Amino acid sequence: MSEAALAAVDWGTSSFRLWLLDAKGAVVAERRGPDGMLVAGTEGFSAILERYLADAGAPADLRVIVCGMAGARQGWVEAPYVSVPAGVDAILAGAVAAPAAGRDVRILPGLAQRQADAPDVMRGEETQLAGILPLFSQGNHLICMPGTHSKWVEAEDGVIESFRTWLTGELFSLMSTHSILRHSLDGAPGAAAHDDPVFANACGRALEDGGDVGSGLFRIRAATLLQDLQPADAAATLSGLLIGAEIASARRVFQASSQQVVLVASGALGLLYATALKLAGCTVIQADAEEAVRTGLFEAAKRLGWVERAA
Amino acid sequence: MSEAALAAVDWGTSSFRLWLLDAKGAVVAERRGPDGMLVAGTEGFSAILERYLADAGAPADLRVIVCGMAGARQGWVEAPYVSVPAGVDAILAGAVAAPAAGRDVRILPGLAQRQADAPDVMRGEETQLAGILPLFSQGNHLICMPGTHSKWVEAEDGVIESFRTWLTGELFSLMSTHSILRHSLDGAPGAAAHDDPVFANACGRALEDGGDVGSGLFRIRAATLLQDLQPADAAATLSGLLIGAEIASARRVFQASSQQVVLVASGALGLLYATALKLAGCTVIQADAEEAVRTGLFEAAKRLGWVERAA
């Protein structure tokens, strides 16, 4: 096993992921847990980081590059937003040193879109963008980054021009746990399978409805009452409705000239979005979200001179 | 003060309203409280009803006509849905006697739309419709009944042809208390004022976006972070966005040939919807929701022969 050259951390609101990377960016060790920003406010950012580093066997002087909510105003130290339009280098150049970390820890900034009529922000996804944009350095690309807060990004010749957020994952969670629909979804075995025809059907209908999610939500409750819709199918319907509406809405907002969408996602969510995007008539280029963020973090380390640029 | 001829009750999920009406339908006494179906499951429907009746000074043999969730399967006694298309008389004829009530209590049915691709249900609003539809017995009318679950209804020559539900009120509540937007709305002094330009602006934008609510929600959070949006303005923006999206969505779904909308609402919510509908270019005919439900309940009592039909 090669030696760790640095640690790379993706520190979200409710999750923490750490990789030890060697001088070529290969993964030497990996740790993940629920210690996101919400927890870190209590235990302390440095304490959590040191706990994970020790668990992964990192030496005391190993340098750490971080992205995500640790750089928010209410995080460890604020890494001020970089405004779009912005290239990858502007993101990588914005790293801020964490105070009293006991080692060299740098936190990457988020992105802000400051247009008066379309304000938006991201923290974490910009580092995924830094990881993949070198592959899309020419022409216009629409990038879909699904999640609790899905981000859609328009990039032109490798520059992030604009972006927008859809609360799709959060809406799914809220609707299934707090709304009238919880009675319909109660007992559902988690997310839909990407090849579930119930998902495809709901998604296709939402795409036809052009992003209008409101007219379809209560139908799920009514179908439970009148048509004996089962919880798993209710969950697949809600998932298809929300994802289909997001895609229709995003394509309207960005008025994409091409049918191509770069999907940056992992696991089951990636499969669902790939299915939905194909239903929408899109050509999908898929990049793994975890690999993208690791690559972005490693690029930042290179820029800091922590590893050879030639690596 | 005239003598009470019957009691009329609108029994919702989380609210209870009782009126004593005289033989002409005029209000003799009124009581309201939070003892909706959710509470009644514990205390018992009959016990709650008797408590309110006693408080209002109703005699022991006064008859009671009820609409709303008391007639749901999980309510007092199920008053099976009447399927649309349905006229007012089919609703009024569907009253079911409540068991072991100790007095004559009848509960009106809800409406069900059983189309495979557009299932929907209502309980309570059908009685408002019974109250107002005699005024719209000719021609095609689109009726908007805003609330936690807003109902839009298409009526043709006095017959309820179809309807659909939007979760607008519930979404506002969920977003403002459980979502990421709660940080933006925290401290807002309740609902928007109908003449607030922030409401009108958000509403107008949602109308332009054609019912696409998803692309606008996170903008509220971002405006707090980047533009110092204040909680009251965040609440007015969310309200305008959700109501505007509902109206755009409903008009798309019903493809209304006329610009006229019959708005059945009361109080501040009625003012907000009237403003929003006018922004959408609609001609608004406004009916008071409470008066509508009382009229519907009184019509049911007339049909039961409890009061003179000539009244």
PDB file of all heavy atoms in Angstrom, chain B residues 70-86:
ATOM      1  N   ALA B  70     -65.333  13.854   9.985  1.00  0.00           N
ATOM      2  CA  ALA B  70     -66.102  12.942  10.839  1.00  0.00           C
ATOM      3  C   ALA B  70     -66.688  11.800  10.015  1.00  0.00           C
ATOM      4  O   ALA B  70     -66.978  10.724  10.544  1.00  0.00           O
ATOM      5  CB  ALA B  70     -67.213  13.706  11.557  1.00  0.00           C
ATOM      6  N   GLY B  71     -66.851  12.018   8.705  1.00  0.00           N
ATOM      7  CA  GLY B  71     -67.404  10.985   7.839  1.00  0.00           C
ATOM      8  C   GLY B  71     -66.351  10.127   7.138  1.00  0.00           C
ATOM      9  O   GLY B  71     -66.683   9.292   6.299  1.00  0.00           O
ATOM     10  N   ALA B  72     -65.081  10.340   7.483  1.00  0.00           N
ATOM     11  CA  ALA B  72     -64.015   9.530   6.880  1.00  0.00           C
ATOM     12  C   ALA B  72     -64.017   8.133   7.494  1.00  0.00           C
ATOM     13  O   ALA B  72     -64.635   7.893   8.527  1.00  0.00           O
ATOM     14  CB  ALA B  72     -62.660  10.198   7.105  1.00  0.00           C
ATOM     15  N   ARG B  73     -63.313   7.218   6.844  1.00  0.00           N
ATOM     16  CA  ARG B  73     -63.264   5.839   7.341  1.00  0.00           C
ATOM     17  C   ARG B  73     -62.725   5.806   8.766  1.00  0.00           C
ATOM     18  O   ARG B  73     -63.188   5.060   9.600  1.00  0.00           O
ATOM     19  CB  ARG B  73     -62.385   4.988   6.416  1.00  0.00           C
ATOM     20  CG  ARG B  73     -62.556   3.504   6.640  1.00  0.00           C
ATOM     21  CD  ARG B  73     -61.861   2.710   5.544  1.00  0.00           C
ATOM     22  NE  ARG B  73     -62.391   3.008   4.234  1.00  0.00           N
ATOM     23  CZ  ARG B  73     -61.843   2.588   3.093  1.00  0.00           C
ATOM     24  NH1 ARG B  73     -60.748   1.856   3.125  1.00  0.00           N
ATOM     25  NH2 ARG B  73     -62.381   2.895   1.936  1.00  0.00           N
ATOM     26  N   GLN B  74     -61.723   6.658   9.045  1.00  0.00           N
ATOM     27  CA  GLN B  74     -61.144   6.717  10.378  1.00  0.00           C
ATOM     28  C   GLN B  74     -61.860   7.758  11.252  1.00  0.00           C
ATOM     29  O   GLN B  74     -61.349   8.167  12.283  1.00  0.00           O
ATOM     30  CB  GLN B  74     -59.640   6.995  10.295  1.00  0.00           C
ATOM     31  CG  GLN B  74     -59.230   8.362   9.753  1.00  0.00           C
ATOM     32  CD  GLN B  74     -59.156   8.406   8.223  1.00  0.00           C
ATOM     33  OE1 GLN B  74     -60.016   7.860   7.540  1.00  0.00           O
ATOM     34  NE2 GLN B  74     -58.158   9.082   7.699  1.00  0.00           N
ATOM     35  N   GLY B  75     -63.062   8.187  10.826  1.00  0.00           N
ATOM     36  CA  GLY B  75     -63.820   9.194  11.564  1.00  0.00           C
ATOM     37  C   GLY B  75     -64.854   8.559  12.492  1.00  0.00           C
ATOM     38  O   GLY B  75     -64.627   7.486  13.058  1.00  0.00           O
ATOM     39  N   TRP B  76     -66.013   9.223  12.616  1.00  0.00           N
ATOM     40  CA  TRP B  76     -67.061   8.742  13.520  1.00  0.00           C
ATOM     41  C   TRP B  76     -67.782   7.546  12.881  1.00  0.00           C
ATOM     42  O   TRP B  76     -67.871   6.473  13.441  1.00  0.00           O
ATOM     43  CB  TRP B  76     -68.028   9.907  13.786  1.00  0.00           C
ATOM     44  CG  TRP B  76     -69.027   9.662  14.874  1.00  0.00           C
ATOM     45  CD1 TRP B  76     -69.327   8.469  15.492  1.00  0.00           C
ATOM     46  CD2 TRP B  76     -69.857  10.641  15.491  1.00  0.00           C
ATOM     47  NE1 TRP B  76     -70.283   8.652  16.440  1.00  0.00           N
ATOM     48  CE2 TRP B  76     -70.632   9.979  16.470  1.00  0.00           C
ATOM     49  CE3 TRP B  76     -70.027  12.018  15.326  1.00  0.00           C
ATOM     50  CZ2 TRP B  76     -71.560  10.644  17.266  1.00  0.00           C
ATOM     51  CZ3 TRP B  76     -70.956  12.677  16.119  1.00  0.00           C
ATOM     52  CH2 TRP B  76     -71.719  12.011  17.081  1.00  0.00           C
ATOM     53  N   VAL B  77     -68.310   7.811  11.708  1.00  0.00           N
ATOM     54  CA  VAL B  77     -68.907   6.735  10.930  1.00  0.00           C
ATOM     55  C   VAL B  77     -68.634   7.073   9.475  1.00  0.00           C
ATOM     56  O   VAL B  77     -68.669   8.247   9.087  1.00  0.00           O
ATOM     57  CB  VAL B  77     -70.424   6.595  11.190  1.00  0.00           C
ATOM     58  CG1 VAL B  77     -71.162   7.876  10.849  1.00  0.00           C
ATOM     59  CG2 VAL B  77     -71.015   5.415  10.419  1.00  0.00           C
ATOM     60  N   GLU B  78     -68.315   6.078   8.690  1.00  0.00           N
ATOM     61  CA  GLU B  78     -67.968   6.370   7.308  1.00  0.00           C
ATOM     62  C   GLU B  78     -69.213   6.739   6.506  1.00  0.00           C
ATOM     63  O   GLU B  78     -70.197   5.996   6.476  1.00  0.00           O
ATOM     64  CB  GLU B  78     -67.265   5.180   6.649  1.00  0.00           C
ATOM     65  CG  GLU B  78     -66.813   5.529   5.228  1.00  0.00           C
ATOM     66  CD  GLU B  78     -65.999   4.430   4.559  1.00  0.00           C
ATOM     67  OE1 GLU B  78     -65.913   3.328   5.120  1.00  0.00           O
ATOM     68  OE2 GLU B  78     -65.451   4.711   3.480  1.00  0.00           O
ATOM     69  N   ALA B  79     -69.148   7.906   5.899  1.00  0.00           N
ATOM     70  CA  ALA B  79     -70.164   8.307   4.926  1.00  0.00           C
ATOM     71  C   ALA B  79     -69.502   8.138   3.564  1.00  0.00           C
ATOM     72  O   ALA B  79     -68.700   8.974   3.147  1.00  0.00           O
ATOM     73  CB  ALA B  79     -70.582   9.764   5.150  1.00  0.00           C
ATOM     74  N   PRO B  80     -69.794   7.031   2.883  1.00  0.00           N
ATOM     75  CA  PRO B  80     -69.019   6.685   1.672  1.00  0.00           C
ATOM     76  C   PRO B  80     -69.034   7.816   0.645  1.00  0.00           C
ATOM     77  O   PRO B  80     -70.039   8.501   0.454  1.00  0.00           O
ATOM     78  CB  PRO B  80     -69.740   5.440   1.146  1.00  0.00           C
ATOM     79  CG  PRO B  80     -70.420   4.848   2.335  1.00  0.00           C
ATOM     80  CD  PRO B  80     -70.823   6.027   3.173  1.00  0.00           C
ATOM     81  N   TYR B  81     -67.886   7.976  -0.019  1.00  0.00           N
ATOM     82  CA  TYR B  81     -67.755   9.007  -1.044  1.00  0.00           C
ATOM     83  C   TYR B  81     -68.832   8.878  -2.107  1.00  0.00           C
ATOM     84  O   TYR B  81     -69.162   7.765  -2.537  1.00  0.00           O
ATOM     85  CB  TYR B  81     -66.409   8.870  -1.762  1.00  0.00           C
ATOM     86  CG  TYR B  81     -65.196   9.154  -0.920  1.00  0.00           C
ATOM     87  CD1 TYR B  81     -64.267   8.151  -0.649  1.00  0.00           C
ATOM     88  CD2 TYR B  81     -64.931  10.425  -0.422  1.00  0.00           C
ATOM     89  CE1 TYR B  81     -63.125   8.392   0.096  1.00  0.00           C
ATOM     90  CE2 TYR B  81     -63.793  10.671   0.326  1.00  0.00           C
ATOM     91  CZ  TYR B  81     -62.892   9.653   0.588  1.00  0.00           C
ATOM     92  OH  TYR B  81     -61.758   9.902   1.324  1.00  0.00           O
ATOM     93  N   VAL B  82     -69.312  10.004  -2.567  1.00  0.00           N
ATOM     94  CA  VAL B  82     -70.136  10.058  -3.772  1.00  0.00           C
ATOM     95  C   VAL B  82     -69.183  10.312  -4.938  1.00  0.00           C
ATOM     96  O   VAL B  82     -68.290  11.162  -4.833  1.00  0.00           O
ATOM     97  CB  VAL B  82     -71.173  11.201  -3.666  1.00  0.00           C
ATOM     98  CG1 VAL B  82     -71.865  11.427  -4.992  1.00  0.00           C
ATOM     99  CG2 VAL B  82     -72.164  10.899  -2.547  1.00  0.00           C
ATOM    100  N   SER B  83     -69.337   9.570  -6.004  1.00  0.00           N
ATOM    101  CA  SER B  83     -68.431   9.726  -7.151  1.00  0.00           C
ATOM    102  C   SER B  83     -68.877  10.860  -8.061  1.00  0.00           C
ATOM    103  O   SER B  83     -70.073  11.036  -8.305  1.00  0.00           O
ATOM    104  CB  SER B  83     -68.397   8.426  -7.965  1.00  0.00           C
ATOM    105  OG  SER B  83     -67.859   7.376  -7.193  1.00  0.00           O
ATOM    106  N   VAL B  84     -67.907  11.605  -8.574  1.00  0.00           N
ATOM    107  CA  VAL B  84     -68.211  12.610  -9.592  1.00  0.00           C
ATOM    108  C   VAL B  84     -68.258  11.927 -10.946  1.00  0.00           C
ATOM    109  O   VAL B  84     -67.595  10.899 -11.127  1.00  0.00           O
ATOM    110  CB  VAL B  84     -67.163  13.741  -9.599  1.00  0.00           C
ATOM    111  CG1 VAL B  84     -67.244  14.529  -8.315  1.00  0.00           C
ATOM    112  CG2 VAL B  84     -65.758  13.237  -9.862  1.00  0.00           C
ATOM    113  N   PRO B  85     -69.014  12.457 -11.915  1.00  0.00           N
ATOM    114  CA  PRO B  85     -69.827  13.672 -11.801  1.00  0.00           C
ATOM    115  C   PRO B  85     -70.983  13.493 -10.825  1.00  0.00           C
ATOM    116  O   PRO B  85     -71.581  12.420 -10.769  1.00  0.00           O
ATOM    117  CB  PRO B  85     -70.355  13.886 -13.227  1.00  0.00           C
ATOM    118  CG  PRO B  85     -69.831  12.791 -14.069  1.00  0.00           C
ATOM    119  CD  PRO B  85     -69.072  11.850 -13.237  1.00  0.00           C
ATOM    120  N   ALA B  86     -71.257  14.555 -10.078  1.00  0.00           N
ATOM    121  CA  ALA B  86     -72.318  14.498  -9.080  1.00  0.00           C
ATOM    122  C   ALA B  86     -72.946  15.868  -8.923  1.00  0.00           C
ATOM    123  O   ALA B  86     -72.249  16.882  -8.918  1.00  0.00           O
ATOM    124  CB  ALA B  86     -71.760  14.045  -7.739  1.00  0.00           C
TER     125      ALA B  86
END
